[in-house]
Amino acid sequence: MTTLFILLLVLPALLGVLALIAGREIRGFCMVAGSLILLGLAAWVIDLAYPALPEGVTPYLGTFPWLSPGREPVKVIGFRLDALSCIMLAVTTLMGCFVILFSTEYMSVRNVEHPTEEGNPRYYFWLMMFVGSMIGVSLSPNFLMLLWFWEITTLCSWVLISHYRHEARSLRAGYKALIMTHGGGLFFALATVLVFTKTGSFEFSALRDLDRPTLWIVTFLFLIAAWVKSAEGPFFTWLPDAMEAPTPVSAYLHAAAMVKAGVYLMARITLASGNVPASIGMITVIMSLATIVVGLIFFFYQDDLKRLLAFSTITHLGYILLGIGLGMLGSQAGIKGGVLHIPCHAVGKTLLFLCVGRIAMLLGTKNISEISGLFRKMPVTSFAFTVGLFSIMGVPPFSCFFSKVILFSGAMELGGWIGFAILIPFALEAVIALFWFLRVGQNVFFKEPSPIVTRLYDPKDRPFFGRLIARVIFITLSGLSVAIPWIMFTFVDRLGG
């Protein structure tokens, strides 16, 4: 199994190098084939580790003796695959496959919005590195190794957000994301150093050996790092600006990559520490609810479909952190609902972003005010977008319905005024967001065609292979929008420290 873990980390880097040297004719094929191999390897290691859940498997390859002279060498380089890692690894590799496959059509001269293939070798190199760094985040067995891959995701996101180098907004958005998220990484590094100096270990379980005041400080530092990484609270501003990135990058960034790393960190800490201070749990819950409300307010001011989806992501990451905060306060249903929301949201949001990418590459615009009546020209995309909308809004039987119900149960599990106070903004956001997204969907797809839609030539006149790629992705993700919670329930039930 150790060999498979190593392959999971090494293969993305090799594919990235291949992207730089491969010819234009075979580059896309190589990237898609490589991502499918990665997905197969991930499924293989998950299958091998499943019998060992909830403890999972934690093989180590190397130690740092110089960090602990006279004592047992510090374990650093290794892998950890438990239920939480299985969920993140599955999301990371599966969504990566869809994004890379979609990129083969999107990153071409057939894209009306950005009709260029300039920089494609660089694009695929950093996208494969992004996938590899998220695999590293998923499999890291301790804080130090997690910090390494955490910072690599920051680097990859900066380059990919700034992909369109000739556009000033793209460059500004990339630098903003880099500065803010790296600033959050400094809090992560400080917390990691504190854990090591107090316990002599980088293990997640070392949190159990900290005294209560130090545990509070360390957990709060990690929480700040997670807030910045996941664009929560006052640190949310970098994420809407990051929509200057190519749409497949936006899909991966929101659904499976960097923003999910922050909530993954807090879920890992909550499960590993066993007893997070209740005050940290209350801070997490309050900040999550505030972020959900603020994100909801910004819905009403967005004309760009990608920016609308960005603020939707901010609110859904608030849902996940809310569930984790409930778990810190003692609600088992809360932490399970929060973790389940990671894959449930990932599928729906990937579907929505790729639908918007398809719309933009045909129309040359993502502005809601310019698009209406699109169903007549793009029925498959319209259907898929509607499925994605129902999925993230929690309409049964789609994915987020199940995670939201469990989150509701987690709030009720606390009881008293706290549980009631949490339920009110939670329920209001769910209802208002559903209403607003239905309104947007009706305007974009089902009203009379707008001039820009009327002028759109029949998409059937486009290359058959490009249409086939879009349809395969949209139909598969639509099916997963129903199936994913049932697949993930078995892992959520086996969550452990």
Side-chain angles (χ1 to χ4, degrees):
M1 186 183 291
T2 301
T3 303
L4 295 177
F5 284 135
I6 295 172
L7 280 174
L8 277 169
L9 288 182
V10 172
L11 184 57
L14 295 177
L15 289 170
V17 173
L18 181 60
L20 295 176
I21 62 177
R24 173 182 174 275
E25 296 78 11
I26 64 169
R27 184 183 299 116
F29 173 79
C30 292
M31 297 302 102
V32 172
S35 67
L36 289 172
I37 293 172
L38 273 176
L39 179 61
L41 288 174
W44 192 359
V45 297
I46 290 172
D47 181 64
L48 292 175
Y50 184 79
L53 299 180
E55 291 80 10
V57 293
T58 312
Y60 272 96
L61 304 180
T63 60
F64 284 1
W66 52 270
L67 278 174
S68 53
R71 293 182 293 164
E72 182 180 350
V74 177
K75 296 178 180 178
V76 176
I77 302 172
F79 306 95
R80 180 188 180 98
L81 193 60
D82 57 7
L84 182 60
S85 300
C86 287
I87 292 170
M88 276 299 293
L89 181 61
V91 170
T92 296
T93 52
L94 181 59
M95 298 307 114
C97 274
F98 290 119
V99 165
I100 291 167
L101 178 59
F102 188 82
S103 295
T104 60
E105 175 68 6
Y106 185 89
M107 303 299 293
S108 71
V109 294
R110 295 182 293 278
N111 184 344
V112 176
E113 187 180 29
H114 293 285
T116 179
E117 295 184 7
E118 181 185 355
N120 275 10
R122 181 182 75 250
Y123 169 85
Y124 283 110
F125 172 81
W126 287 107
L127 184 56
M128 292 309 308
M129 293 298 291
F130 206 178
V131 173
S133 62
M134 281 307 302
I135 291 173
V137 167
S138 305
L139 297 177
S140 293
N142 54 60
F143 287 118
L144 183 59
M145 196 165 167
L146 178 55
L147 177 61
W148 294 345
F149 289 108
W150 178 283
E151 289 299 277
I152 295 173
T153 64
T154 297
L155 177 65
C156 295
S157 66
W158 164 51
V159 178
L160 288 167
I161 292 168
S162 305
H163 177 73
Y164 297 119
R165 297 179 174 183
H166 59 282
E167 298 179 7
R169 291 192 308 176
S170 177
L171 294 175
R172 284 197 299 269
Y175 279 119
K176 185 175 184 178
L178 173 67
I179 292 168
M180 291 186 69
T181 55
H182 179 61
L186 296 178
F187 287 92
F188 191 143
L190 180 57
T192 301
V193 170
L194 277 175
V195 171
F196 181 73
T197 55
K198 292 291 184 179
T199 67
S201 173
F202 293 112
E203 299 290 314
F204 299 126
S205 58
L207 294 173
R208 298 176 184 266
D209 300 327
L210 296 173
D211 58 77
R212 297 299 289 179
T214 305
L215 178 61
W216 196 98
I217 295 171
V218 165
T219 309
F220 186 67
L221 291 173
F222 279 130
L223 184 59
I224 294 174
W227 280 340
V228 179
K229 199 76 163 178
S230 296
E232 294 296 284
F235 310 108
F236 74 87
T237 57
W238 70 265
L239 189 58
D241 290 349
M243 295 303 94
E244 298 299 326
T247 300
V249 172
S250 301
Y252 196 66
L253 183 71
H254 285 247
M258 200 165 75
V259 294
K260 293 290 173 65
V263 295
Y264 172 78
L265 171 66
M266 294 314 299
R268 175 63 71 196
I269 288 170
T270 303
L271 294 169
S273 65
N275 189 18
V276 175
S279 56
I280 294 291
M282 284 303 302
I283 292 171
T284 304
V285 167
I286 292 169
M287 183 65 81
S288 301
L289 291 173
T291 303
I292 289 170
V293 172
V294 171
L296 175 65
I297 293 171
F298 274 96
F299 283 3
F300 308 121
Y301 300 95
Q302 306 310 312
D303 187 47
D304 186 297
L305 277 170
K306 280 179 67 175
R307 288 183 67 88
L308 176 63
L309 294 181
F311 282 104
S312 168
T313 296
I314 290 168
T315 62
H316 280 270
L317 292 167
Y319 283 148
I320 298 170
L321 277 176
L322 173 62
I324 293 168
L326 293 173
M328 294 176 183
L329 295 174
S331 170
Q332 289 297 310
I335 184 70
K336 289 183 177 181
V339 171
L340 180 61
H341 203 68
I342 293 174
C344 290
H345 170 258
V347 171
K349 190 55 61 72
T350 301
L351 179 56
L352 287 173
F353 265 109
L354 297 186
C355 286
V356 172
R358 184 68 176 167
I359 292 168
M361 69 178 290
L362 293 181
L363 297 181
T365 182
K366 306 180 295 291
N367 292 337
I368 298 170
S369 58
E370 298 179 28
I371 307 171
S372 65
L374 201 55
F375 180 80
R376 299 185 184 185
K377 290 292 184 76
M378 301 176 66
V380 176
T381 303
S382 302
F383 170 79
F385 189 96
T386 304
V387 171
L389 188 155
F390 286 163
S391 178
I392 66 167
M393 291 298 107
V395 176
F398 298 102
S399 59
C400 290
F401 167 76
F402 298 95
S403 54
K404 287 186 177 182
V405 166
I406 298 174
L407 285 170
F408 265 86
S409 302
M412 295 175 66
E413 192 177 304
L414 291 182
W417 68 269
I418 295 178
F420 183 73
I422 291 170
L423 283 176
I424 293 176
F426 192 1
L428 284 175
E429 194 280 338
V431 173
I432 296 172
L434 175 61
F435 163 76
W436 189 254
F437 269 85
L438 286 175
R439 181 179 180 275
V440 170
Q442 181 187 23
N443 290 340
V444 170
F445 297 109
F446 301 110
K447 283 193 171 183
E448 286 299 312
S450 60
I452 196 170
V453 173
T454 302
R455 292 195 300 269
L456 175 66
Y457 62 86
D458 194 336
K460 293 180 181 178
D461 295 335
R462 295 184 69 86
F464 171 78
F465 190 66
R467 289 186 286 117
L468 179 64
I469 287 174
R471 292 185 177 186
V472 167
I473 292 173
F474 295 161
I475 292 171
T476 306
L477 283 171
S478 296
L480 282 173
S481 294
V482 176
I484 197 69
W486 302 101
I487 297 171
M488 292 298 170
F489 276 143
T490 183
F491 296 102
V492 171
D493 285 340
R494 289 166 172 80
L495 288 173

